[in-house]
Amino acid sequence: MAQRRWLPEAAKFVCFTDDAKGLEAGVEARPLPVRDDWEGWWFKAYLFSREAQLSGRVLYLDLDTVIVGPLSPLLAYTGAFATLAAAYFQAEEGVADGFNSSAMLWDAGGGGGGGGAAPLAALHDALSPSVFRCLMRWDHWVEMVAPGAHVLQELFPGLFVDFRGDCKDGPPAGAAVVCFPRYPKPHEASAEWIDANWR
């Protein structure tokens, strides 16, 4: 598996999807819940439910991120929850003070995406129709429920980079994850390094 080279051998790959066709060997497919009241990024809430059956240290990456270097430095993180800050992304105009959940790192404990403890379990358990009426994005919900989240770009400088702002000549040295907030997405960008690491 192409991405195995960037993670320790003991790492387990899980893909939550409603279409498991075409996944490489070694990736465990788990179904998304059937929900008429959720769409798009709101399904990220499921990661923090007991039903998701995640345990231990969890690294979540959006499918439109491209892994280009070792992720092992992330093993040094022992905090409760970390995510990206929008301020580091050129494409995130107008949300400089918010989060970008293209990558999240947390301890799910012995079971349940939030470890069964506040505040992370609330990302799933407290989600209600009123949240959808008041908030436009999942990231805004994360900002409300976990305002003290650690910032991955500050914990690991240079590890997470922005395609539009940082990759004019390819990923910079030391980068591990290239994020594609807003546009373009990896399938809309043409570069050999994207073909080699994502397609």
Side-chain angles (χ1 to χ4, degrees):
M1 181 165 47
Q3 304 309 335
R4 172 59 68 188
R5 68 186 183 274
W6 302 126
L7 279 168
E9 197 60 38
K12 179 178 182 179
F13 288 85
V14 176
C15 180
F16 288 93
T17 179
D18 52 8
D19 182 3
K21 294 190 297 289
L23 292 180
E24 293 187 21
V27 177
E28 178 187 346
R30 295 187 186 175
L32 289 166
V34 177
R35 305 268 320 221
D36 293 332
D37 54 337
W38 290 5
E39 59 181 285
W41 48 48
W42 292 103
F43 277 91
K44 290 184 184 183
Y46 184 65
L47 298 168
F48 299 92
S49 71
R50 290 193 178 279
E51 292 74 22
Q53 298 183 352
L54 296 174
S55 61
R57 181 63 56 181
V58 177
L59 169 63
Y60 166 84
L61 296 172
D62 276 354
L63 290 177
D64 62 4
T65 56
V66 179
I67 303 172
V68 296
L71 297 172
S72 51
L74 298 174
L75 296 175
Y77 178 67
T78 58
F81 180 69
T83 191
L84 299 167
Y88 290 87
F89 294 142
Q90 187 181 95
E92 289 278 36
E93 302 100 341
V95 289
D97 295 330
F99 291 154
N100 178 299
S101 62
S102 295
M104 297 183 286
L105 182 59
W106 74 96
D107 184 3
L120 295 183
L123 287 167
H124 172 267
D125 297 346
L127 201 55
S128 68
S130 61
V131 174
F132 304 135
R133 286 195 298 271
C134 297
L135 300 179
M136 185 181 75
R137 300 174 63 184
W138 157 260
D139 293 344
H140 298 159
W141 180 233
V142 177
E143 292 160 21
M144 290 181 65
V145 176
H150 295 120
V151 173
L152 287 168
Q153 296 105 316
E154 296 171 2
L155 294 172
F156 305 99
L159 209 68
F160 295 87
V161 297
D162 170 25
F163 174 73
R164 275 173 56 181
D166 302 317
C167 299
K168 299 283 190 293
D169 300 311
V177 180
V178 179
C179 301
F180 289 73
R182 308 293 176 116
Y183 63 88
K185 296 302 184 187
H187 67 279
E188 299 168 327
S190 177
E192 286 186 18
W193 63 268
I194 297 177
D195 292 338
N197 291 285
W198 188 79
R199 291 194 172 95

